[in-house]
Amino acid sequence: MKKYIIIKKKIENFKKKFIEVEGDKSLSIRFVLLSALSGGKCSAKNLLKSEDVLNAINCLEKLGIRTIFKKKKTEIFGRGLFGLKFKKNLTLDAGNSGTTARLLCSLLIDSNFRIRITGDQSLKKRDMKRIINPLKKFGVFFKSRNGKLPLEIKGTKFPKPIKFTENLGSAQCKSAVMIAALKTKGITKLKCLPSRNHTELMFKNVLKLPIKIIKKNKYEVINIKGQSEFKPFSYQIPGDISSASFFIVLTLLSKNKILKIKNVNLNSSRAGVLKILKMMGGNIKVLNLKNYKGEKIGDILVKSTKKFKSINLSPRYNSSAIDEFLLIFLVACKSKGTSVFNNLGELNKKESKRLNWGIKILLQMGIKVKRIKNSGIKIWGQENLNLDKKIIIKNYLKDHRILMVCVIAGLTLGGNWKIYDHNCYKTSFPSFTKILKNLGARI
Ligand code: S3P
């Protein structure tokens, strides 16, 4: 069996006018974890069934939470705020999912046994201190080597509310504190830098929990009142903008194409990629914008764009496009002039060191690129870029987004690509290759 993807040809005419991408990963994992703490049967339509989400479901199953997959919906049977079944010698494996590993810890802060959390080769390299430190303040015991997985966590009968300042701009960190706060008696005060706000929106609009959010300069102050049990809920998960972005860039960088991507989550804390690509000249329009439980949902209409402008991006856009930077770098490669991106250190804390990989891939493509101080990158664009090189991509810790970016690069900019770990896209976007093939790509 082939263990790599080969791309030798750019994509020709699209065989479809519109596509839909699968459910949002952040919302799917939050739905799964919060359902478990609810008072009964929750149901989701369009839940993403990628490896990351299935790993979250498997971890919860070990904690006594039942999930039923039906044709059109997924049902999860919550057992209340304090209803998880903790046992001796339990190991929970989050696979590749940083969101699962980090948020799961917050569900375990009242465990009376030590629970072991582990993950795959990539997840074992990622920093868990960012959640260990705040969760310790609730009264939780942790054992880990260098703040990495595998770790052991043992909770406390009486977790206490905390005050915490989150300075990384990490939604995972913020969400871990918010969920842990639910198990305490009192008010947790969380001050945080902006990051995706799905947990806040779910707390407020879906679970109807008493939270207060106040803007204070560059921070948000979130007050969460604990021990409010919440009712079971249902949720319809919109398409994932991170998955949609591969097809946005595929269309932008090809010739004479139009594509509509329907029903995508356009929450402004996530949709930075649209703003950035539009600033670079990308022909993108949003249609049919609606509000669903605080999330903005709409269709994206993309047209191929002939000329892109380079950009000197203000880091204030970073968090709202954090998973899309490698795609944005591809557009910078085809722009007129030199693009600069700064303060991207968090990219090297993802499933692989993505900033380093971005530079490596661009260099292999023959692009002039330089790392600059403050974890930045400078890219010298070539308006008429057309690759004819052989490019081999391997040993990238099976980072799903690296594989998908390289596939899009090959299909739009040319070259002869051989990309190993051929199926790691299933971590976040299992239908990625199927949608591409239906559009007419030869991969
Ligand atoms: C996520 C938050 C982001 C993002 C990740 C998913 C989430 O990480 O990169 O893919 O669902 O909360 P941060 O914790 O750095 O915000």
Side-chain angles (χ1 to χ4, degrees):
M1 205 176 85
K2 270 194 288 175
K3 290 269 185 263
Y4 40 79
I5 289 183
I6 299 270
I7 315 249
K8 286 186 175 161
K9 259 187 109 177
K10 291 187 192 175
I11 189 161
E12 287 167 359
N13 295 330
F14 283 178
K15 290 187 186 150
K16 293 201 174 290
K17 289 197 170 95
F18 70 86
I19 58 165
E20 274 186 74
V21 293
E22 292 168 274
D24 185 287
K25 178 152 77 82
S26 291
L27 284 173
S28 294
I29 295 177
R30 282 162 177 75
F31 168 81
V32 168
L33 298 178
L34 292 170
S35 292
L37 300 181
S38 81
K41 182 173 91 179
C42 298
S43 106
K45 284 194 180 150
N46 201 34
L47 186 85
L48 172 67
K49 283 164 196 106
S50 75
E51 285 169 1
D52 275 6
V53 183
L54 296 176
N55 279 321
I57 289 176
N58 288 340
C59 291
L60 286 174
E61 198 187 316
K62 291 195 172 176
L63 295 164
I65 299 296
R66 206 155 57 94
T67 298
I68 301 182
F69 296 101
K70 295 199 164 161
K71 221 176 180 184
K72 289 203 168 152
K73 57 185 178 183
T74 306
E75 292 173 349
I76 298 189
F77 294 78
R79 296 174 50 91
L81 266 186
F82 299 98
L84 296 178
K85 287 187 186 164
F86 304 122
K87 276 184 250 161
K88 261 190 189 163
N89 301 324
L90 209 55
T91 294
L92 306 177
D93 188 344
N96 188 252
S97 175
T99 311
T100 300
R102 290 172 176 149
L103 271 55
L104 191 61
C105 288
S106 64
L107 273 76
L108 307 178
I109 69 161
D110 55 327
S111 158
N112 44 346
F113 296 107
R114 277 196 190 195
I115 295 178
R116 192 168 170 271
I117 303 196
T118 191
D120 72 2
Q121 212 200 347
S122 148
L123 193 55
K124 280 185 188 153
K125 291 189 194 299
R126 296 179 72 184
D127 168 50
M128 293 295 286
K129 271 190 234 121
R130 58 182 58 200
I131 58 109
I132 292 178
N133 292 337
L135 293 186
K136 267 186 177 170
K137 293 180 96 186
F138 286 96
V140 179
F141 163 86
F142 278 96
K143 189 177 157 198
S144 80
R145 217 187 293 145
N146 320 317
K148 303 258 163 82
L149 296 181
L151 61 71
E152 281 177 17
I153 173 170
K154 183 170 183 288
T156 161
K157 239 186 175 171
F158 302 107
K160 42 184 192 297
I162 65 165
K163 273 190 182 168
F164 183 70
T165 303
E166 196 287 309
N167 267 318
L168 294 167
S170 157
Q172 293 173 352
C173 217
K174 168 174 75 180
S175 304
V177 172
M178 288 179 68
I179 297 172
L182 295 178
K183 299 204 181 210
T184 69
K185 207 169 177 187
I187 294 179
T188 287
K189 295 186 177 200
L190 173 61
K191 195 171 153 192
C192 44
L193 288 178
S195 60
R196 63 189 68 189
N197 64 354
H198 305 306
T199 310
E200 294 91 305
L201 293 176
M202 275 200 164
F203 272 32
K204 220 171 132 193
N205 302 322
V206 183
L207 314 181
K208 314 280 182 207
L209 289 170
I211 69 163
K212 257 197 209 142
I213 306 172
I214 308 158
K215 266 219 161 322
K216 236 184 191 174
N217 306 325
K218 59 175 186 171
Y219 285 99
E220 261 167 15
V221 179
I222 309 179
N223 289 352
I224 308 119
K225 186 167 168 278
Q227 302 222 344
S228 328
E229 292 281 351
F230 54 91
K231 290 195 186 132
F233 57 96
S234 52
Y235 201 90
Q236 180 141 7
I237 296 173
D240 194 320
I241 187 154
S242 299
S243 301
S245 298
F246 295 101
F247 290 90
I248 296 174
V249 172
L250 177 79
T251 311
L252 286 178
L253 290 180
S254 333
K255 268 191 194 149
N256 303 325
K257 294 187 178 56
I258 301 182
L259 187 69
K260 193 193 261 186
I261 310 167
K262 284 188 169 175
N263 189 37
V264 182
N265 187 1
L266 300 168
N267 176 327
S268 59
S269 68
R270 286 289 297 283
V273 61
L274 299 186
K275 282 194 193 145
I276 299 168
L277 293 175
K278 277 190 193 172
M279 286 191 267
M280 298 175 85
N283 192 338
I284 302 173
K285 280 197 185 88
V286 165
L287 312 168
N288 302 324
L289 203 58
K290 293 186 285 250
N291 185 311
Y292 176 74
K293 304 194 188 201
E295 298 286 349
K296 293 225 166 61
I297 297 166
D299 302 336
I300 304 170
L301 183 69
V302 200
K303 292 187 184 163
S304 300
T305 302
K306 283 199 183 119
K307 287 189 187 300
F308 292 98
K309 296 176 267 192
S310 56
I311 193 167
N312 187 341
L313 187 70
S314 157
R316 77 188 152 94
Y317 292 100
N318 287 1
S319 86
S320 63
I322 193 68
D323 292 338
E324 285 71 62
F325 271 97
L326 296 181
L327 281 167
I328 295 168
F329 294 166
L330 284 189
V331 177
C333 290
K334 237 197 151 191
S335 301
K336 185 174 182 190
T338 314
S339 293
V340 177
F341 304 89
N342 273 305
N343 294 2
L344 284 174
E346 273 294 302
L347 274 194
N348 273 343
K349 309 260 168 75
K350 298 293 174 192
E351 286 84 331
S352 69
K353 293 192 168 181
R354 276 191 195 145
L355 182 61
N356 297 2
W357 268 103
I359 294 172
K360 251 193 236 179
I361 295 166
L362 265 44
L363 284 173
Q364 281 211 63
M365 285 164 52
I367 300 291
K368 185 173 170 197
V369 48
K370 206 172 127 189
R371 177 188 291 273
I372 50 179
K373 60 177 190 308
N374 296 330
S375 302
I377 165 173
K378 196 169 178 180
I379 300 169
W380 280 260
Q382 299 175 28
E383 273 183 287
N384 299 317
L385 183 64
N386 190 16
L387 306 176
D388 60 1
K389 301 173 118 223
K390 189 163 185 182
I391 300 173
I392 298 176
I393 306 290
K394 57 180 172 184
N395 301 329
Y396 56 94
L397 285 173
K398 303 187 181 176
D399 181 342
H400 50 126
R401 299 204 194 279
I402 292 207
L403 173 125
M404 292 188 278
V405 161
C406 292
V407 169
I408 299 301
L411 291 173
T412 54
L413 303 174
N416 190 340
W417 295 71
K418 183 174 184 180
I419 311 155
Y420 281 80
D421 298 314
H422 63 303
N423 59 14
C424 67
Y425 60 87
K426 293 182 181 162
T427 301
S428 64
F429 192 4
S431 60
F432 174 67
T433 50
K434 193 173 152 205
I435 300 178
L436 275 177
K437 284 179 185 160
N438 286 344
L439 269 179
R442 296 233 207 116
I443 63 170

